[in-house]
Amino acid sequence: MKILDFLVLLGLHSAAAVIHSMKNFFTVSSQVPNFPEFVAVGMVDDVQIYHYDSKTRRLEPKQDWMNRVAEDDPQFWKSYTAICLGYHQLFKGYIETLKHRFNQTGGVHIFQWLVGCEWDDESGEVNGFRQVGYDGEDFLSWDVKTNTWIAPKQQAVITKNNWNNDKVLMAYYKYTITQELPYWLQKLMMYGRSSLMRTELPSVSLLQKTPSSPVSCFATGFYPDRAEIFWRKDGEELHENVELGEILPNHDGSFQMSVDLDLSSVTPEDWRRYECVFHLSGVKDDIITKLDKTAIQTNWGKTGDGRDGGPSGFPLGAVIGGVVVLLLLVVGIVGFFLWKKNNNCER
């Protein structure tokens, strides 16, 4: 099935363009305590779909819909488990080769292999990628346009030349990137359509730690993670006095992010000119939150009846009163035990 035919099947042309991806991470380690020597993890649109490690020697689905793949193809898990077993032995040998090339003996060493592809659901363009890392640094990268390996390190030149001169190997690399992986990405997207292609809008709040702190526009509960959030003044996006936070995962699989705005040089009269904009990829309408002082949630401010508030707006009078009652209670208990002790001594 061609990619554009697949897009029509899913009805994606009516939505905004989205880049979908499939990534396979393979890691072999040497002398890392309490960690499997080999680990394989698969991701579709940054959602984990499978896990394999050398301790269990079992390929485990991480999404319920992945079980449907095995139902339709009973040999799928068995075949992919065999691939992981082969990669384990192959990459284990690579570590020994690289240890020799870097003049290393024992110690902890890690070899990583990343292979995958991504495609634009509007244009149908496919891009593949392969990267090799050793001990936390780039060792080799694959150029999809020239179908050749690039060596960022001198120690990688020998491997680069050997692989680039192997025409059969390079033809296989090109086939997997341009044909096999896009095919599987399309197939898995079809199986996990209801989960992977869902959109969930966030709740957006304005937060402030203290009256002099920046105002944070906080969005949480959105999916997928292809989202933007920014401050706008008079309809123009702001870049000064703005600090954008990272997109972080929530425990339920959704995401959160925030953007701070420094208002120290803004007069109260100008606050109405500012607004926070949240945009989720694939969703037409943005969520716009006007900068309104009364809507800001803060740890410091006024209570509902106008009294001075402490943290979380809790009345300071109630806090002080509670402390006084607690102290009186403690004094009473201590006095009782002292009285009881004195009476016992007098007997």
Side-chain angles (χ1 to χ4, degrees):
M1 183 187 297
K2 293 182 180 179
I3 289 181
L4 289 178
D5 295 335
F6 175 72
L7 298 178
V8 172
L9 176 65
L10 293 183
L12 292 179
H13 285 296
S14 60
V18 175
I19 304 297
H20 297 281
S21 66
M22 179 181 184
K23 301 173 185 176
N24 297 278
F25 299 87
F26 304 98
T27 302
V28 173
S29 58
S30 174
Q31 298 185 27
V32 177
N34 303 318
F35 192 77
E37 189 176 62
F38 176 80
V39 176
V41 173
M43 312 280 285
V44 172
D45 281 359
D46 295 325
V47 174
Q48 186 177 357
I49 60 171
Y50 73 81
H51 175 274
Y52 172 91
D53 66 64
S54 54
K55 284 189 175 181
T56 64
R57 293 195 175 188
R58 185 173 63 250
L59 197 67
E60 297 180 353
K62 290 298 182 180
Q63 301 295 323
D64 291 339
W65 53 264
M66 281 295 291
N67 292 313
R68 293 175 52 202
V69 180
E71 293 174 1
D72 294 344
D73 183 2
Q75 297 299 314
F76 174 78
W77 295 115
K78 184 178 180 180
S79 300
Y80 210 83
T81 298
I83 292 174
C84 289
L85 286 169
Y87 275 159
H88 181 190
Q89 297 306 314
L90 178 64
F91 297 156
K92 188 176 178 180
Y94 285 170
I95 281 190
E96 295 305 316
T97 299
L98 295 182
K99 283 167 62 178
H100 176 73
R101 198 171 294 172
F102 281 90
N103 295 321
Q104 299 166 336
T105 53
V108 172
H109 299 286
I110 296 177
F111 177 88
Q112 296 169 296
W113 181 285
L114 166 64
V115 59
C117 68
E118 58 184 20
W119 55 272
D120 188 314
D121 66 14
E122 186 175 71
S123 67
E125 181 181 359
V126 177
N127 287 311
F129 46 85
R130 271 191 180 87
Q131 291 179 309
V132 180
Y134 181 64
D135 285 351
E137 295 184 358
D138 291 339
F139 186 73
L140 285 168
S141 61
W142 187 71
D143 187 339
V144 64
K145 293 182 180 179
T146 62
N147 192 33
T148 57
W149 287 97
I150 299 171
K153 285 184 172 293
Q154 183 63 35
Q155 292 88 343
V157 173
I158 297 176
T159 303
K160 178 201 74 170
N161 292 335
N162 289 339
W163 289 357
N164 286 343
N165 292 331
D166 190 333
K167 302 305 179 183
V168 175
L169 180 64
M170 297 310 295
Y172 169 74
Y173 283 155
K174 185 174 183 178
Y175 168 76
T176 56
I177 288 294
T178 59
Q179 301 294 325
E180 187 176 10
L181 289 178
Y183 166 79
W184 274 107
L185 174 55
Q186 294 176 41
K187 193 169 185 176
L188 293 174
M189 288 293 298
M190 188 163 52
Y191 279 112
R193 177 184 179 183
S194 60
S195 175
L196 295 171
M197 301 184 69
R198 76 185 192 275
T199 55
E200 296 179 6
L201 293 175
S203 61
V204 180
S205 305
L206 299 179
L207 309 175
Q208 191 177 31
K209 293 181 180 180
T210 69
S212 59
S213 300
V215 173
S216 178
C217 183
F218 177 68
T220 183
F222 61 87
Y223 186 92
D225 63 348
R226 294 181 292 275
E228 296 178 289
I229 190 169
F230 55 90
W231 282 99
R232 207 159 58 182
K233 178 184 178 183
D234 296 335
E236 297 290 332
E237 183 176 350
L238 292 174
H239 299 285
E240 296 183 356
N241 300 321
V242 170
E243 184 175 351
L244 179 64
E246 297 181 2
I247 296 180
L248 301 174
N250 290 323
H251 70 280
D252 60 358
S254 65
F255 298 91
Q256 62 172 275
M257 67 187 306
S258 63
V259 59
D260 294 348
L261 174 63
D262 185 357
L263 293 169
S264 58
S265 60
V266 179
T267 62
E269 293 77 16
D270 286 337
W271 277 38
R272 56 184 178 82
R273 301 169 62 186
Y274 293 82
E275 59 189 11
C276 173
V277 180
F278 176 87
H279 173 74
L280 185 64
S281 181
V283 177
K284 182 179 179 181
D285 296 327
D286 296 334
I287 297 178
I288 299 176
T289 306
K290 295 286 186 180
L291 181 57
D292 184 351
K293 199 165 187 177
T294 61
I296 296 176
Q297 300 179 39
T298 177
N299 288 337
W300 301 92
K302 296 285 186 178
T303 63
D305 57 5
R307 292 176 293 170
D308 289 333
S312 302
F314 194 83
L316 287 177
V319 174
I320 295 173
V323 171
V324 171
V325 171
L326 180 61
L327 288 175
L328 290 174
L329 181 61
V330 171
V331 170
I333 293 173
V334 172
F336 170 78
F337 280 105
L338 288 177
W339 171 82
K340 187 174 182 181
K341 181 179 179 181
N342 290 334
N343 282 351
N344 289 337
C345 290
E346 292 173 357
R347 292 178 182 177

